[in-house]
Amino acid sequence: MRFLQVTELEGRYVASLTETERPVPREGEVLVRVAASGVNRADLLQIAGRYPSPPGEPDSIGLELSGTTDETGEAVCALVAGGGHAEYVAAPVGQVFPAPAGLDLVAAAGIPEAFLTAFLTLVVEGGLARGETLLVHAGASGVGLAAIQLGKRMGARVAATTRTSEKVAALEGAGADLAIHAGRAGRHDFAEQIEERWGPDVVDVVLDPIGAPSLSANMRVLATGGRVVVIATMAGARAELDLALLMRKRARLLASTLRARSRAEKSAIVARFRREILAGFTSGELRVPVDSVFPAHRAAEAFQRMRENRNVGKILIAWPRD
């Protein structure tokens, strides 16, 4: 079988399809023939040597996929901790779930990482409840568009930000009640726009992959008892925190990652996601926001598109099914 090897050379990605032995499932794993795999920023970090696979997991890139089980032919999605960009993957059974009926199997590859991350952040960590207000940063990303949809499905009022004016429409299309252009010239003015529209101290949960630059404004708009959940530090990892404001608002500053969790933890999250969320794709309440699909032999273009922040939603790599 073939898998992707990707390197970076002078700011451009170079991808090759490398032959290797088909993986042999260990106990508690199932072999999946891959239809498509999803591109994530974690892939870019791993290519750069800054985000290695957890111990015991495949050391090649790729965190999510769709395909069919080799034994039964069932259409499935899978969350993995590495090795997802390949023709075959041995996936942990507890991290495999049925591909939603009626959804294109290639598009289904955009579910695991984005929607499970959003679910973990909003529900498990953030405790988002009906009638609360949610703020989603980087709202046009795969996770961002998933979080907007999940927030609305849970009965929350949703504000979302993007640094690119052309992506505002995508936030509105996903259901955001307030879509905010927080461009480079005014990337901290989201607090002013929320206050102008809804008043001060109104946000109950913040999903933040931006990091340091947004922390003070997040705290400013937070309601009493609010929760800020940091899932990445794309724009910086070090920030000052007003502890007096944190105490006055009785707020919680949380951090969450998915990849580094144990297989048992991931299995529990996937099981709850199946019970509470998965049916939303079949009913039409949820949709997979697909930006683009690249064949495996053009994978370098897929990674470059994400690096240049040109995508709105998920970038997918389609694997040949001959």
Side-chain angles (χ1 to χ4, degrees), residues 65 74-78 94-103 107-112 115-116 119 149-150 153 269-288:
L65 58 104
E74 179 188 5
V76 297
C77 301
Q95 295 165 216
V96 175
F97 55 91
L103 182 64
I111 295 177
F115 280 88
L116 282 165
F119 177 73
Q149 294 181 70
L150 289 182
R153 188 172 188 264
I269 294 166
V270 169
R272 185 173 173 186
F273 178 83
R274 290 181 64 171
R275 293 193 304 269
E276 300 180 19
I277 303 298
L278 192 58
F281 294 99
T282 302
S283 69
E285 293 177 273
L286 299 174
R287 63 178 183 84
V288 181

Side-chain angles (χ1 to χ4, degrees), residues 219-244:
M219 292 300 304
R220 171 177 162 180
V221 299
L222 210 60
T224 299
R227 293 83 73 195
V228 177
V229 188
V230 179
I231 63 169
T233 55
M234 293 192 301
R238 296 183 178 274
E240 290 188 359
L241 175 63
D242 185 341
L243 293 176

Side-chain angles (χ1 to χ4, degrees), residues 37-279:
S37 51
V39 176
N40 292 280
R41 290 200 176 273
D43 295 336
L44 307 190
L45 291 174
Q46 186 167 347
I47 293 166
R50 300 200 301 270
Y51 195 29
S53 297
E57 299 289 357
D59 58 9
S60 56
I61 57 175
L63 302 180
E64 61 183 339
L65 58 104
S66 62
T68 52
T69 59
D70 193 55
E71 186 173 331
T72 67
E74 179 188 5
V76 297
C77 301
L79 176 76
V80 293
H85 295 306
E87 290 181 312
Y88 286 87
V89 171
V93 171
Q95 295 165 216
V96 175
F97 55 91
L103 182 64
D104 177 76
L105 188 57
V106 169
I111 295 177
E113 181 70 18
F115 280 88
L116 282 165
T117 296
F119 177 73
L120 173 63
T121 304
L122 303 188
V123 180
V124 180
E125 303 283 12
L128 183 68
R130 179 171 296 277
E132 290 191 320
T133 296
L134 167 67
L135 170 60
V136 177
H137 289 301
S141 66
V143 172
L145 292 172
I148 293 169
Q149 294 181 70
L150 289 182
K152 293 304 298 180
R153 188 172 188 264
M154 296 171 63
R157 178 174 61 173
V158 180
T161 71
T162 176
R163 292 186 299 165
T164 307
S165 59
E166 293 79 10
K167 296 182 179 181
V168 169
L171 310 187
E172 296 171 336
D177 301 286
L178 177 58
I180 299 170
H181 174 218
R184 292 187 183 277
R187 67 188 288 181
H188 309 301
D189 70 351
F190 68 85
E192 296 177 8
Q193 295 189 52
I194 290 173
E195 290 169 347
E196 182 178 326
R197 178 77 170 268
W198 293 335
D201 307 329
V202 294
V203 175
D204 299 287
V205 176
V206 180
L207 184 157
D208 190 358
I210 304 301
S214 57
L215 180 59
S216 62
N218 287 339
M219 292 300 304
R220 171 177 162 180
V221 299
L222 210 60
T224 299
R227 293 83 73 195
V228 177
V229 188
V230 179
I231 63 169
T233 55
M234 293 192 301
R238 296 183 178 274
E240 290 188 359
L241 175 63
D242 185 341
L243 293 176
L245 180 61
L246 185 74
M247 292 188 295
R248 186 163 68 248
K249 292 195 171 185
R250 301 195 300 279
R252 282 176 281 166
L253 179 59
L254 307 166
S256 180
T257 59
L258 180 58
R259 186 185 193 187
R261 292 172 185 261
S262 69
R263 290 187 172 191
E265 287 181 282
K266 291 175 185 175
S267 294
I269 294 166
V270 169
R272 185 173 173 186
F273 178 83
R274 290 181 64 171
R275 293 193 304 269
E276 300 180 19
I277 303 298
L278 192 58

